[in-house]
Amino acid sequence: VHGSAMTQVAVRQRADERPVDVHGNEEENQYVPLTPRQRASLRFLQINTPMSLLCCIATGLISTLIVPSMHYVFRSQPTYFTMAPRMFLAYSIVMLFFEFGFCLLSLITPNPHTQRCIVQGAGSRLALSNYILSMWLLCRIIDTNMTMILGSVVLVGILLLTATNGLVLRTKYRPRWVHPFELLLVHVPNKLVLLLVGQVLLWDQLMLTWGWDRSMGRHALGEGLWFAALVQSLIGIALVVWISLTSDVSVYLASLFLDVAVLKFHKMPVIGPNSRPFVLSIILSVSMGLRTIALILPMMLDNGFLVICHTHRRHLPQEAYDQPVAPASLPAAEQNERTRLLASRDVAYGTT
């Protein structure tokens, strides 16, 4: 029994001495081969994710070719969250491009860390989000009361799936330039889907479900003003906090593009006879400005481009310099200085 206890203590000591990276992950486990179950999940992802991507592309093509098309639905039922159709199309193409890169990375990467990030970080949730997004496109075109409610439900499902992916990726596989392909092809596609649904599509769908759109009359659209102002304010605050804490360039660019797409919707311009309420334009403009400051300011501070100076206690106006007292331990030359220059040693420049 005594020998067994000593062995357990030795094992715990060796575990405590294992080197860990900056995120607390054991470095020697970064390149451990996948388990048989994880390899089976990876093989399933290599087939399922491209299929979900093709399903989403096919549904998108159908929705643009049939009558009424997605472009017509967007123009005929504007809300305060409706995007400009062409900018929505451009965003969707970029999102699908990054998801194609995700599929390609899952097929060709030999790195066990990247494979584990794909399996555990994204898993089948990203593919399921694509299938559900295809379902939402069909519900949006059919445009009945039941499909409006169903569309809201499926968008909530996409939001939960992508938020779960984001939480797992942030806690277990945080974005680092040491793994650039994980950063660009695993983290970014999930963020693009999350922002599209959580910043625009879900709230647009809810306003349509509740009848707060212009097709029901100006009065019906005006009833949703308080809802739109509250949601845009809360989303703006959340984005500013996130960007200031993480300096996430991908979230900054994607969220900025989505806000510009909302402001560029020609049926509800910033200025004009059918313009959107001034308060909503101010909220989006202020939010975009604060996000820019939240991104640039910490980067300037971290890289030394901006120095915030503070006033020394002895330099305050109310502090008199009559008979300054210098420590006796300083040399005579430095005792005459009102602001002492402390000697420091630098490897490159010597003693200064």
Side-chain angles (χ1 to χ4, degrees):
V1 176
H2 179 71
S4 176
M6 293 295 294
T7 303
Q8 292 178 0
V9 171
V11 170
R12 285 197 297 268
Q13 289 178 351
R14 287 195 299 269
D16 294 337
E17 294 175 356
R18 290 173 183 171
V20 297
D21 60 11
V22 294
H23 304 298
N25 300 318
E26 295 181 2
E27 291 182 355
E28 64 182 34
N29 290 335
Q30 296 292 318
Y31 302 100
V32 175
L34 271 65
T35 63
R37 183 175 180 178
Q38 290 174 340
R39 288 197 172 277
S41 299
L42 180 62
R43 286 193 294 269
F44 177 73
L45 281 174
Q46 291 171 346
I47 300 173
N48 187 37
T49 307
M51 290 294 293
S52 69
L53 195 60
L54 291 175
C55 179
C56 197
I57 293 173
T59 309
L61 291 175
I62 293 173
S63 65
T64 56
L65 296 177
I66 65 174
V67 178
S69 64
M70 179 63 69
H71 186 273
Y72 173 79
V73 170
F74 269 62
R75 287 188 294 108
S76 61
Q77 296 176 324
T79 70
Y80 294 132
F81 292 94
T82 304
M83 298 172 60
R86 292 183 179 179
M87 297 189 72
F88 173 71
L89 177 61
Y91 187 95
S92 301
I93 291 174
V94 173
M95 183 179 69
L96 293 175
F97 174 79
F98 276 99
E99 289 200 32
F100 174 78
F102 173 85
C103 298
L104 188 62
L105 181 67
S106 66
L107 289 171
I108 66 175
T109 180
N111 190 337
H113 183 273
T114 304
Q115 293 175 344
R116 192 173 290 106
C117 176
I118 292 172
V119 172
Q120 297 180 347
S124 299
R125 293 180 293 270
L126 186 61
L128 184 58
S129 299
N130 290 335
Y131 287 124
I132 299 177
L133 189 61
S134 303
M135 186 185 302
W136 170 79
L137 286 171
L138 294 177
C139 293
R140 189 73 170 84
I141 294 173
I142 297 173
D143 192 20
T144 62
N145 292 332
M146 184 59 67
T147 56
M148 285 294 177
I149 297 174
L150 182 59
S152 302
V153 172
V154 299
L155 287 178
V156 171
I158 296 174
L159 186 63
L160 292 176
L161 289 171
T162 52
T164 303
N165 277 351
L167 181 62
V168 174
L169 289 171
R170 188 69 192 177
T171 54
K172 298 186 64 175
Y173 302 96
R174 298 184 65 179
R176 293 180 293 168
W177 286 110
V178 178
H179 303 287
F181 292 109
E182 293 179 15
L183 174 62
L184 294 175
L185 301 179
V186 181
H187 289 265
V188 172
N190 185 75
K191 291 175 183 177
L192 292 178
V193 180
L194 175 62
L195 287 172
L196 178 63
V197 175
Q199 189 175 342
V200 178
L201 292 186
L202 176 59
W203 315 112
D204 179 67
Q205 186 73 28
L206 287 175
M207 291 192 71
L208 289 171
T209 304
W210 295 331
W212 294 341
D213 62 279
R214 187 174 286 175
S215 65
M216 305 296 291
R218 290 182 178 273
H219 177 71
L221 179 64
E223 290 181 354
L225 177 60
W226 63 272
F227 174 78
L230 178 63
V231 170
Q232 290 178 357
S233 300
L234 293 177
I235 291 176
I237 293 171
L239 288 172
V240 169
V241 172
W242 176 264
I243 293 171
S244 63
L245 293 177
T246 62
S247 298
D248 197 329
V249 179
S250 60
V251 170
Y252 168 76
L253 293 176
S255 62
L256 206 69
F257 184 90
L258 290 173
D259 282 346
V260 172
V262 172
L263 292 174
K264 286 284 291 181
F265 182 52
H266 68 282
K267 289 282 186 177
M268 204 176 295
V270 178
I271 301 175
N274 295 321
S275 61
R276 67 181 60 249
F278 183 69
V279 63
L280 297 182
S281 300
I282 290 296
I283 290 173
L284 290 180
S285 301
V286 171
S287 175
M288 289 188 288
L290 291 177
R291 268 175 268 166
T292 304
I293 296 173
L295 177 70
I296 296 177
L297 190 60
M299 295 174 66
M300 295 178 67
L301 289 172
D302 292 341
N303 293 280
F305 291 106
L306 183 63
V307 179
I308 299 179
C309 301
H310 66 280
T311 304
H312 195 275
R313 180 180 59 83
R314 297 192 61 183
H315 290 179
L316 295 175
Q318 61 269 24
E319 295 282 344
Y321 284 99
D322 298 335
Q323 298 177 354
V325 179
S329 59
L330 293 176
E334 293 190 10
Q335 289 182 8
N336 296 328
E337 294 288 339
R338 294 188 175 184
T339 303
R340 301 192 306 275
L341 301 176
L342 301 179
S344 61
R345 183 169 184 81
D346 188 273
V347 178
Y349 297 100
T351 303
T352 57

